[in-house]
PDB file of all heavy atoms in Angstrom:
ATOM      1  N   LEU E   1     -20.224  14.014 -30.764  1.00 95.00           N
ATOM      2  CA  LEU E   1     -20.264  15.261 -29.997  1.00 95.00           C
ATOM      3  C   LEU E   1     -20.895  16.383 -30.806  1.00 95.00           C
ATOM      4  O   LEU E   1     -21.607  17.230 -30.265  1.00 95.00           O
ATOM      5  CB  LEU E   1     -18.857  15.653 -29.544  1.00 95.00           C
ATOM      6  CG  LEU E   1     -18.226  14.775 -28.470  1.00 95.00           C
ATOM      7  CD1 LEU E   1     -16.789  15.197 -28.228  1.00 95.00           C
ATOM      8  CD2 LEU E   1     -19.029  14.804 -27.181  1.00 95.00           C
ATOM      9  N   SER E   2     -20.659  16.386 -32.124  1.00 94.00           N
ATOM     10  CA  SER E   2     -21.216  17.433 -32.977  1.00 94.00           C
ATOM     11  C   SER E   2     -22.737  17.356 -33.042  1.00 94.00           C
ATOM     12  O   SER E   2     -23.405  18.334 -33.364  1.00 94.00           O
ATOM     13  CB  SER E   2     -20.625  17.368 -34.390  1.00 94.00           C
ATOM     14  OG  SER E   2     -21.176  16.287 -35.122  1.00 94.00           O
ATOM     15  N   LEU E   3     -23.285  16.181 -32.723  1.00 95.00           N
ATOM     16  CA  LEU E   3     -24.739  15.993 -32.706  1.00 95.00           C
ATOM     17  C   LEU E   3     -25.351  16.372 -31.364  1.00 95.00           C
ATOM     18  O   LEU E   3     -26.549  16.241 -31.163  1.00 95.00           O
ATOM     19  CB  LEU E   3     -25.079  14.538 -33.055  1.00 95.00           C
ATOM     20  CG  LEU E   3     -24.675  14.114 -34.462  1.00 95.00           C
ATOM     21  CD1 LEU E   3     -24.867  12.617 -34.635  1.00 95.00           C
ATOM     22  CD2 LEU E   3     -25.470  14.886 -35.502  1.00 95.00           C
ATOM     23  N   GLY E   4     -24.507  16.838 -30.441  1.00 94.00           N
ATOM     24  CA  GLY E   4     -24.993  17.306 -29.152  1.00 94.00           C
ATOM     25  C   GLY E   4     -24.941  16.276 -28.042  1.00 94.00           C
ATOM     26  O   GLY E   4     -25.453  16.520 -26.956  1.00 94.00           O
ATOM     27  N   ASN E   5     -24.348  15.136 -28.295  1.00 96.00           N
ATOM     28  CA  ASN E   5     -24.230  14.112 -27.258  1.00 96.00           C
ATOM     29  C   ASN E   5     -23.237  14.535 -26.187  1.00 96.00           C
ATOM     30  O   ASN E   5     -22.250  15.202 -26.481  1.00 96.00           O
ATOM     31  CB  ASN E   5     -23.777  12.775 -27.859  1.00 96.00           C
ATOM     32  CG  ASN E   5     -24.812  12.171 -28.773  1.00 96.00           C
ATOM     33  OD1 ASN E   5     -26.010  12.262 -28.516  1.00 96.00           O
ATOM     34  ND2 ASN E   5     -24.365  11.566 -29.843  1.00 96.00           N
ATOM     35  N   THR E   6     -23.490  14.126 -24.955  1.00 96.00           N
ATOM     36  CA  THR E   6     -22.557  14.387 -23.868  1.00 96.00           C
ATOM     37  C   THR E   6     -21.447  13.349 -23.910  1.00 96.00           C
ATOM     38  O   THR E   6     -21.556  12.338 -24.613  1.00 96.00           O
ATOM     39  CB  THR E   6     -23.258  14.303 -22.499  1.00 96.00           C
ATOM     40  OG1 THR E   6     -23.698  12.951 -22.299  1.00 96.00           O
ATOM     41  CG2 THR E   6     -24.436  15.266 -22.412  1.00 96.00           C
ATOM     42  N   LEU E   7     -20.401  13.565 -23.124  1.00 96.00           N
ATOM     43  CA  LEU E   7     -19.319  12.589 -23.046  1.00 96.00           C
ATOM     44  C   LEU E   7     -19.850  11.239 -22.570  1.00 96.00           C
ATOM     45  O   LEU E   7     -19.455  10.193 -23.081  1.00 96.00           O
ATOM     46  CB  LEU E   7     -18.209  13.084 -22.120  1.00 96.00           C
ATOM     47  CG  LEU E   7     -17.443  14.322 -22.571  1.00 96.00           C
ATOM     48  CD1 LEU E   7     -16.479  14.762 -21.479  1.00 96.00           C
ATOM     49  CD2 LEU E   7     -16.706  14.070 -23.864  1.00 96.00           C
ATOM     50  N   GLY E   8     -20.744  11.260 -21.599  1.00 97.00           N
ATOM     51  CA  GLY E   8     -21.322  10.027 -21.082  1.00 97.00           C
ATOM     52  C   GLY E   8     -22.139   9.291 -22.129  1.00 97.00           C
ATOM     53  O   GLY E   8     -22.077   8.059 -22.232  1.00 97.00           O
ATOM     54  N   GLU E   9     -22.917  10.032 -22.902  1.00 97.00           N
ATOM     55  CA  GLU E   9     -23.715   9.406 -23.963  1.00 97.00           C
ATOM     56  C   GLU E   9     -22.818   8.785 -25.030  1.00 97.00           C
ATOM     57  O   GLU E   9     -23.078   7.678 -25.504  1.00 97.00           O
ATOM     58  CB  GLU E   9     -24.659  10.435 -24.590  1.00 97.00           C
ATOM     59  CG  GLU E   9     -25.768  10.882 -23.665  1.00 97.00           C
ATOM     60  CD  GLU E   9     -26.526  12.100 -24.165  1.00 97.00           C
ATOM     61  OE1 GLU E   9     -26.000  12.841 -25.029  1.00 97.00           O
ATOM     62  OE2 GLU E   9     -27.643  12.312 -23.676  1.00 97.00           O
ATOM     63  N   VAL E  10     -21.771   9.515 -25.404  1.00 97.00           N
ATOM     64  CA  VAL E  10     -20.829   8.991 -26.396  1.00 97.00           C
ATOM     65  C   VAL E  10     -20.183   7.716 -25.860  1.00 97.00           C
ATOM     66  O   VAL E  10     -20.076   6.713 -26.577  1.00 97.00           O
ATOM     67  CB  VAL E  10     -19.758  10.039 -26.763  1.00 97.00           C
ATOM     68  CG1 VAL E  10     -18.676   9.424 -27.631  1.00 97.00           C
ATOM     69  CG2 VAL E  10     -20.396  11.232 -27.469  1.00 97.00           C
ATOM     70  N   ALA E  11     -19.780   7.738 -24.601  1.00 97.00           N
ATOM     71  CA  ALA E  11     -19.141   6.572 -23.994  1.00 97.00           C
ATOM     72  C   ALA E  11     -20.079   5.364 -24.021  1.00 97.00           C
ATOM     73  O   ALA E  11     -19.677   4.263 -24.420  1.00 97.00           O
ATOM     74  CB  ALA E  11     -18.721   6.891 -22.559  1.00 97.00           C
ATOM     75  N   ARG E  12     -21.341   5.573 -23.633  1.00 97.00           N
ATOM     76  CA  ARG E  12     -22.298   4.456 -23.631  1.00 97.00           C
ATOM     77  C   ARG E  12     -22.542   3.937 -25.040  1.00 97.00           C
ATOM     78  O   ARG E  12     -22.550   2.724 -25.268  1.00 97.00           O
ATOM     79  CB  ARG E  12     -23.623   4.905 -23.004  1.00 97.00           C
ATOM     80  CG  ARG E  12     -23.628   4.854 -21.497  1.00 97.00           C
ATOM     81  CD  ARG E  12     -25.004   5.083 -20.922  1.00 97.00           C
ATOM     82  NE  ARG E  12     -25.565   6.390 -21.237  1.00 97.00           N
ATOM     83  CZ  ARG E  12     -25.262   7.523 -20.610  1.00 97.00           C
ATOM     84  NH1 ARG E  12     -24.383   7.501 -19.622  1.00 97.00           N
ATOM     85  NH2 ARG E  12     -25.819   8.656 -20.945  1.00 97.00           N
ATOM     86  N   GLU E  13     -22.736   4.839 -26.003  1.00 97.00           N
ATOM     87  CA  GLU E  13     -23.008   4.435 -27.384  1.00 97.00           C
ATOM     88  C   GLU E  13     -21.853   3.647 -27.990  1.00 97.00           C
ATOM     89  O   GLU E  13     -22.057   2.745 -28.789  1.00 97.00           O
ATOM     90  CB  GLU E  13     -23.284   5.662 -28.253  1.00 97.00           C
ATOM     91  CG  GLU E  13     -24.592   6.346 -27.961  1.00 97.00           C
ATOM     92  CD  GLU E  13     -24.760   7.648 -28.731  1.00 97.00           C
ATOM     93  OE1 GLU E  13     -23.916   7.975 -29.581  1.00 97.00           O
ATOM     94  OE2 GLU E  13     -25.758   8.347 -28.473  1.00 97.00           O
ATOM     95  N   MET E  14     -20.632   4.020 -27.620  1.00 96.00           N
ATOM     96  CA  MET E  14     -19.455   3.393 -28.214  1.00 96.00           C
ATOM     97  C   MET E  14     -18.887   2.258 -27.365  1.00 96.00           C
ATOM     98  O   MET E  14     -17.924   1.609 -27.771  1.00 96.00           O
ATOM     99  CB  MET E  14     -18.381   4.460 -28.465  1.00 96.00           C
ATOM    100  CG  MET E  14     -18.812   5.512 -29.469  1.00 96.00           C
ATOM    101  SD  MET E  14     -17.544   6.771 -29.773  1.00 96.00           S
ATOM    102  CE  MET E  14     -16.330   5.801 -30.675  1.00 96.00           C
ATOM    103  N   GLY E  15     -19.458   2.034 -26.185  1.00 97.00           N
ATOM    104  CA  GLY E  15     -18.963   0.979 -25.314  1.00 97.00           C
ATOM    105  C   GLY E  15     -17.595   1.292 -24.719  1.00 97.00           C
ATOM    106  O   GLY E  15     -16.766   0.394 -24.538  1.00 97.00           O
ATOM    107  N   LEU E  16     -17.368   2.577 -24.430  1.00 97.00           N
ATOM    108  CA  LEU E  16     -16.095   3.037 -23.879  1.00 97.00           C
ATOM    109  C   LEU E  16     -16.323   3.655 -22.512  1.00 97.00           C
ATOM    110  O   LEU E  16     -17.449   3.989 -22.142  1.00 97.00           O
ATOM    111  CB  LEU E  16     -15.469   4.093 -24.799  1.00 97.00           C
ATOM    112  CG  LEU E  16     -15.226   3.716 -26.253  1.00 97.00           C
ATOM    113  CD1 LEU E  16     -14.815   4.939 -27.047  1.00 97.00           C
ATOM    114  CD2 LEU E  16     -14.168   2.633 -26.337  1.00 97.00           C
ATOM    115  N   SER E  17     -15.255   3.864 -21.770  1.00 97.00           N
ATOM    116  CA  SER E  17     -15.363   4.612 -20.523  1.00 97.00           C
ATOM    117  C   SER E  17     -15.369   6.103 -20.849  1.00 97.00           C
ATOM    118  O   SER E  17     -14.893   6.527 -21.906  1.00 97.00           O
ATOM    119  CB  SER E  17     -14.197   4.284 -19.587  1.00 97.00           C
ATOM    120  OG  SER E  17     -13.010   4.909 -20.040  1.00 97.00           O
ATOM    121  N   VAL E  18     -15.903   6.880 -19.927  1.00 97.00           N
ATOM    122  CA  VAL E  18     -15.914   8.329 -20.117  1.00 97.00           C
ATOM    123  C   VAL E  18     -14.479   8.850 -20.214  1.00 97.00           C
ATOM    124  O   VAL E  18     -14.194   9.744 -21.021  1.00 97.00           O
ATOM    125  CB  VAL E  18     -16.687   9.032 -18.975  1.00 97.00           C
ATOM    126  CG1 VAL E  18     -16.560  10.545 -19.073  1.00 97.00           C
ATOM    127  CG2 VAL E  18     -18.160   8.629 -19.005  1.00 97.00           C
ATOM    128  N   ASN E  19     -13.573   8.276 -19.429  1.00 97.00           N
ATOM    129  CA  ASN E  19     -12.173   8.721 -19.485  1.00 97.00           C
ATOM    130  C   ASN E  19     -11.549   8.454 -20.846  1.00 97.00           C
ATOM    131  O   ASN E  19     -10.750   9.256 -21.332  1.00 97.00           O
ATOM    132  CB  ASN E  19     -11.349   8.067 -18.377  1.00 97.00           C
ATOM    133  CG  ASN E  19     -11.623   8.699 -17.028  1.00 97.00           C
ATOM    134  OD1 ASN E  19     -12.004   9.854 -16.950  1.00 97.00           O
ATOM    135  ND2 ASN E  19     -11.449   7.934 -15.975  1.00 97.00           N
ATOM    136  N   THR E  20     -11.903   7.353 -21.481  1.00 97.00           N
ATOM    137  CA  THR E  20     -11.384   7.063 -22.819  1.00 97.00           C
ATOM    138  C   THR E  20     -11.910   8.087 -23.817  1.00 97.00           C
ATOM    139  O   THR E  20     -11.160   8.580 -24.662  1.00 97.00           O
ATOM    140  CB  THR E  20     -11.765   5.634 -23.250  1.00 97.00           C
ATOM    141  OG1 THR E  20     -11.187   4.716 -22.323  1.00 97.00           O
ATOM    142  CG2 THR E  20     -11.271   5.329 -24.653  1.00 97.00           C
ATOM    143  N   VAL E  21     -13.187   8.431 -23.705  1.00 97.00           N
ATOM    144  CA  VAL E  21     -13.769   9.450 -24.595  1.00 97.00           C
ATOM    145  C   VAL E  21     -13.071  10.786 -24.361  1.00 97.00           C
ATOM    146  O   VAL E  21     -12.736  11.496 -25.313  1.00 97.00           O
ATOM    147  CB  VAL E  21     -15.296   9.565 -24.392  1.00 97.00           C
ATOM    148  CG1 VAL E  21     -15.862  10.735 -25.179  1.00 97.00           C
ATOM    149  CG2 VAL E  21     -15.984   8.271 -24.792  1.00 97.00           C
ATOM    150  N   LYS E  22     -12.816  11.129 -23.104  1.00 97.00           N
ATOM    151  CA  LYS E  22     -12.105  12.379 -22.793  1.00 97.00           C
ATOM    152  C   LYS E  22     -10.725  12.392 -23.437  1.00 97.00           C
ATOM    153  O   LYS E  22     -10.280  13.428 -23.951  1.00 97.00           O
ATOM    154  CB  LYS E  22     -11.965  12.564 -21.280  1.00 97.00           C
ATOM    155  CG  LYS E  22     -13.232  12.948 -20.581  1.00 97.00           C
ATOM    156  CD  LYS E  22     -12.984  13.086 -19.085  1.00 97.00           C
ATOM    157  CE  LYS E  22     -14.242  13.420 -18.329  1.00 97.00           C
ATOM    158  NZ  LYS E  22     -14.007  13.533 -16.875  1.00 97.00           N
ATOM    159  N   THR E  23     -10.047  11.250 -23.417  1.00 97.00           N
ATOM    160  CA  THR E  23      -8.724  11.156 -24.048  1.00 97.00           C
ATOM    161  C   THR E  23      -8.831  11.377 -25.544  1.00 97.00           C
ATOM    162  O   THR E  23      -8.021  12.099 -26.134  1.00 97.00           O
ATOM    163  CB  THR E  23      -8.078   9.789 -23.746  1.00 97.00           C
ATOM    164  OG1 THR E  23      -7.907   9.674 -22.331  1.00 97.00           O
ATOM    165  CG2 THR E  23      -6.737   9.646 -24.445  1.00 97.00           C
ATOM    166  N   HIS E  24      -9.843  10.787 -26.181  1.00 96.00           N
ATOM    167  CA  HIS E  24     -10.036  10.996 -27.613  1.00 96.00           C
ATOM    168  C   HIS E  24     -10.306  12.472 -27.912  1.00 96.00           C
ATOM    169  O   HIS E  24      -9.759  13.030 -28.864  1.00 96.00           O
ATOM    170  CB  HIS E  24     -11.176  10.138 -28.153  1.00 96.00           C
ATOM    171  CG  HIS E  24     -10.851   8.687 -28.251  1.00 96.00           C
ATOM    172  ND1 HIS E  24      -9.737   8.204 -28.906  1.00 96.00           N
ATOM    173  CD2 HIS E  24     -11.501   7.597 -27.778  1.00 96.00           C
ATOM    174  CE1 HIS E  24      -9.721   6.888 -28.832  1.00 96.00           C
ATOM    175  NE2 HIS E  24     -10.775   6.492 -28.140  1.00 96.00           N
ATOM    176  N   VAL E  25     -11.124  13.105 -27.086  1.00 96.00           N
ATOM    177  CA  VAL E  25     -11.436  14.533 -27.280  1.00 96.00           C
ATOM    178  C   VAL E  25     -10.166  15.365 -27.118  1.00 96.00           C
ATOM    179  O   VAL E  25      -9.901  16.272 -27.919  1.00 96.00           O
ATOM    180  CB  VAL E  25     -12.541  14.994 -26.305  1.00 96.00           C
ATOM    181  CG1 VAL E  25     -12.720  16.506 -26.352  1.00 96.00           C
ATOM    182  CG2 VAL E  25     -13.859  14.293 -26.632  1.00 96.00           C
ATOM    183  N   LYS E  26      -9.373  15.057 -26.111  1.00 95.00           N
ATOM    184  CA  LYS E  26      -8.111  15.772 -25.890  1.00 95.00           C
ATOM    185  C   LYS E  26      -7.193  15.637 -27.111  1.00 95.00           C
ATOM    186  O   LYS E  26      -6.586  16.612 -27.562  1.00 95.00           O
ATOM    187  CB  LYS E  26      -7.423  15.219 -24.636  1.00 95.00           C
ATOM    188  CG  LYS E  26      -6.120  15.875 -24.281  1.00 95.00           C
ATOM    189  CD  LYS E  26      -5.588  15.290 -22.982  1.00 95.00           C
ATOM    190  CE  LYS E  26      -4.236  14.712 -23.255  1.00 95.00           C
ATOM    191  NZ  LYS E  26      -3.626  14.071 -22.104  1.00 95.00           N
ATOM    192  N   ASN E  27      -7.125  14.423 -27.670  1.00 95.00           N
ATOM    193  CA  ASN E  27      -6.306  14.195 -28.861  1.00 95.00           C
ATOM    194  C   ASN E  27      -6.839  14.950 -30.075  1.00 95.00           C
ATOM    195  O   ASN E  27      -6.065  15.487 -30.872  1.00 95.00           O
ATOM    196  CB  ASN E  27      -6.207  12.703 -29.163  1.00 95.00           C
ATOM    197  CG  ASN E  27      -5.426  11.946 -28.107  1.00 95.00           C
ATOM    198  OD1 ASN E  27      -4.624  12.523 -27.376  1.00 95.00           O
ATOM    199  ND2 ASN E  27      -5.679  10.661 -28.012  1.00 95.00           N
ATOM    200  N   VAL E  28      -8.165  15.010 -30.211  1.00 95.00           N
ATOM    201  CA  VAL E  28      -8.781  15.770 -31.300  1.00 95.00           C
ATOM    202  C   VAL E  28      -8.392  17.242 -31.184  1.00 95.00           C
ATOM    203  O   VAL E  28      -7.985  17.871 -32.162  1.00 95.00           O
ATOM    204  CB  VAL E  28     -10.316  15.614 -31.304  1.00 95.00           C
ATOM    205  CG1 VAL E  28     -10.978  16.639 -32.216  1.00 95.00           C
ATOM    206  CG2 VAL E  28     -10.712  14.212 -31.719  1.00 95.00           C
ATOM    207  N   TYR E  29      -8.518  17.795 -29.978  1.00 94.00           N
ATOM    208  CA  TYR E  29      -8.150  19.197 -29.767  1.00 94.00           C
ATOM    209  C   TYR E  29      -6.700  19.446 -30.169  1.00 94.00           C
ATOM    210  O   TYR E  29      -6.395  20.442 -30.827  1.00 94.00           O
ATOM    211  CB  TYR E  29      -8.322  19.597 -28.300  1.00 94.00           C
ATOM    212  CG  TYR E  29      -9.741  19.750 -27.809  1.00 94.00           C
ATOM    213  CD1 TYR E  29     -10.847  19.442 -28.596  1.00 94.00           C
ATOM    214  CD2 TYR E  29      -9.985  20.206 -26.526  1.00 94.00           C
ATOM    215  CE1 TYR E  29     -12.128  19.588 -28.114  1.00 94.00           C
ATOM    216  CE2 TYR E  29     -11.270  20.360 -26.035  1.00 94.00           C
ATOM    217  CZ  TYR E  29     -12.338  20.050 -26.831  1.00 94.00           C
ATOM    218  OH  TYR E  29     -13.606  20.206 -26.351  1.00 94.00           O
ATOM    219  N   ALA E  30      -5.819  18.547 -29.769  1.00 92.00           N
ATOM    220  CA  ALA E  30      -4.402  18.720 -30.079  1.00 92.00           C
ATOM    221  C   ALA E  30      -4.148  18.624 -31.583  1.00 92.00           C
ATOM    222  O   ALA E  30      -3.413  19.440 -32.150  1.00 92.00           O
ATOM    223  CB  ALA E  30      -3.567  17.678 -29.335  1.00 92.00           C
ATOM    224  N   ARG E  31      -4.750  17.644 -32.234  1.00 93.00           N
ATOM    225  CA  ARG E  31      -4.532  17.462 -33.670  1.00 93.00           C
ATOM    226  C   ARG E  31      -5.088  18.626 -34.491  1.00 93.00           C
ATOM    227  O   ARG E  31      -4.515  19.003 -35.512  1.00 93.00           O
ATOM    228  CB  ARG E  31      -5.172  16.168 -34.154  1.00 93.00           C
ATOM    229  CG  ARG E  31      -4.466  14.926 -33.684  1.00 93.00           C
ATOM    230  CD  ARG E  31      -5.213  13.696 -34.179  1.00 93.00           C
ATOM    231  NE  ARG E  31      -4.748  12.487 -33.570  1.00 93.00           N
ATOM    232  CZ  ARG E  31      -3.846  11.692 -34.117  1.00 93.00           C
ATOM    233  NH1 ARG E  31      -3.321  11.982 -35.272  1.00 93.00           N
ATOM    234  NH2 ARG E  31      -3.483  10.594 -33.496  1.00 93.00           N
ATOM    235  N   LEU E  32      -6.220  19.181 -34.040  1.00 92.00           N
ATOM    236  CA  LEU E  32      -6.848  20.288 -34.779  1.00 92.00           C
ATOM    237  C   LEU E  32      -6.403  21.657 -34.265  1.00 92.00           C
ATOM    238  O   LEU E  32      -6.800  22.680 -34.816  1.00 92.00           O
ATOM    239  CB  LEU E  32      -8.377  20.174 -34.704  1.00 92.00           C
ATOM    240  CG  LEU E  32      -8.978  18.907 -35.312  1.00 92.00           C
ATOM    241  CD1 LEU E  32     -10.499  18.923 -35.147  1.00 92.00           C
ATOM    242  CD2 LEU E  32      -8.595  18.759 -36.773  1.00 92.00           C
TER     243      LEU E  32
END
């Protein structure tokens, strides 16, 4: 995400669903 990728791009690159990426982002926000 810091490189400017969208949630969809991150999901495709990592082989995840967009919802899974959103969950990871939500967890990052909470932890930080």
Side-chain angles (χ1 to χ4, degrees):
L1 290 174
S2 75
L3 296 172
N5 293 323
T6 65
L7 294 174
E9 291 168 341
V10 172
R12 277 189 298 280
E13 290 173 6
M14 297 180 70
L16 304 171
S17 75
V18 173
N19 284 334
T20 299
V21 173
K22 286 179 182 179
T23 298
H24 287 307
V25 171
K26 181 177 122 182
N27 293 338
V28 167
Y29 288 5
R31 289 178 191 265
L32 299 179

